Amino acid sequence: MRAAGQAPPRVLTVAGSDSGGGAGIQADLKTMLALGVHGMSVITAVTAQNSLGVQGAWELPVEAVRAQYRSVVDDIGVQAVKTGMLASAELVEAVAELVSGTDAPVVVDPVGVSKHGDPLLAASALDSVRTRLLPVATVATPNLDEVAQLTGSRVASEADLRPAAEAVLAYGPQWVLIKGGHLTGEAVDLLTDGDQEFWLRAPRHDNRHTHGTGCTLASAIASGLAKGLAVPEAVTAAKEYVTGAIARGFALGTGIGPVDHGWRFR
């Protein structure tokens, strides 16, 4: 418990805006509120997005992203940073430079495509993610499609998670969480730093409304780190939170609805 008037831990998300409110900056801030931290934002891109997909995306100038970041960090300060949609090589490199100079853990969600399969990262930016962003990550949280994009490793079964994690770790993050949500059976993820391994399992819920899952998980991990949890504890708590959010995901529009960020309050 914190005293009245005392600021909660502060977490900064550097990501794109989802006008439909299910993913991106909007999902990040909802998650942070639900988990008791103060969320702040650096918007990297604006998307026109709904339950059916992404109808348009416009990245912000590098100077606008840099100004937002410096404005928050230099005055308010942060206990953790989460990165999401960065769109271009120029933005990836600028954000990597910014977070490398910030004394706080960094959770990198290497967003490549949306839930609907729409590209959110230029192909030309992949090398910048590998060589500039992943090396400054405390935790990287790629899904199986993003693992394939970044490393060429294809994960078809649980047995493939360990070599996939090794391939991502080769780019330099301290920890990697390979999200196995696209496999069949239990929802199993592998967290490892190359020495320690943690296999995180949860029941798979028969619910198609899972928009924002990756953003939510990465933001929940950042929230735990901001509270002072060690990486395994932060990831375990985040997995529990996002599993509940998926179970209570709801229909919105005529396509894929979002997870329920406020499920613990309902």
Side-chain angles (χ1 to χ4, degrees), residues 93-249:
E93 291 169 11
V95 170
E97 179 183 359
L98 289 165
V99 299
S100 67
T102 303
D103 185 19
V106 180
V107 179
V108 171
D109 184 14
V111 175
V113 295
S114 75
K115 178 70 67 179
H116 303 85
D118 302 295
L120 298 175
L121 181 71
S124 59
L126 285 172
D127 194 53
S128 295
V129 173
R130 297 182 190 104
T131 62
R132 300 290 299 276
L133 191 60
L134 289 177
V136 300
T138 307
V139 188
T141 64
N143 63 28
L144 302 188
D145 291 334
E146 290 154 358
V147 168
Q149 272 189 318
L150 292 167
T151 71
S153 297
R154 300 285 176 180
V155 177
S157 69
E158 186 175 315
D160 297 326
L161 292 176
R162 183 177 288 118
E166 292 170 352
V168 177
L169 282 171
Y171 291 116
Q174 295 176 32
W175 291 82
V176 62
L177 177 68
I178 304 294
K179 301 179 294 191
H182 294 169
L183 299 175
T184 57
E186 279 187 308
V188 57
D189 305 327
L190 171 59
L191 173 70
T192 179
D193 64 355
D195 294 319
Q196 305 171 78
E197 282 189 355
F198 300 88
W199 293 84
L200 307 175
R201 301 177 184 278
R204 185 176 297 277
H205 296 287
D206 185 20
N207 185 355
R208 67 188 291 262
H209 301 301
T210 56
H211 184 51
T213 307
C215 305
T216 300
L217 180 62
S219 293
I221 295 170
S223 297
L225 295 176
K227 294 176 181 178
L229 297 180
V231 169
E233 287 72 29
V235 172
T236 300
K239 171 87 168 178
E240 179 186 357
Y241 169 73
V242 81
T243 298
I246 291 169
R248 293 160 179 80

Side-chain angles (χ1 to χ4, degrees), residues 55-108:
Q55 291 77 48
W58 301 266
E59 66 183 77
L60 268 67
V62 169
E63 56 267 30
V65 171
R66 187 177 287 114
Q68 291 175 80
Y69 191 96
R70 291 264 60 94
S71 180
V72 170
V73 173
D74 293 348
D75 174 50
I76 301 171
V78 295
Q79 275 76 56
V81 179
K82 176 259 178 178
T83 72
M85 176 186 176
L86 299 181
S88 68
E90 292 77 14
L91 284 177
V92 170
E93 291 169 11
V95 170
E97 179 183 359
L98 289 165
V99 299
S100 67
T102 303
D103 185 19
V106 180
V107 179
V108 171

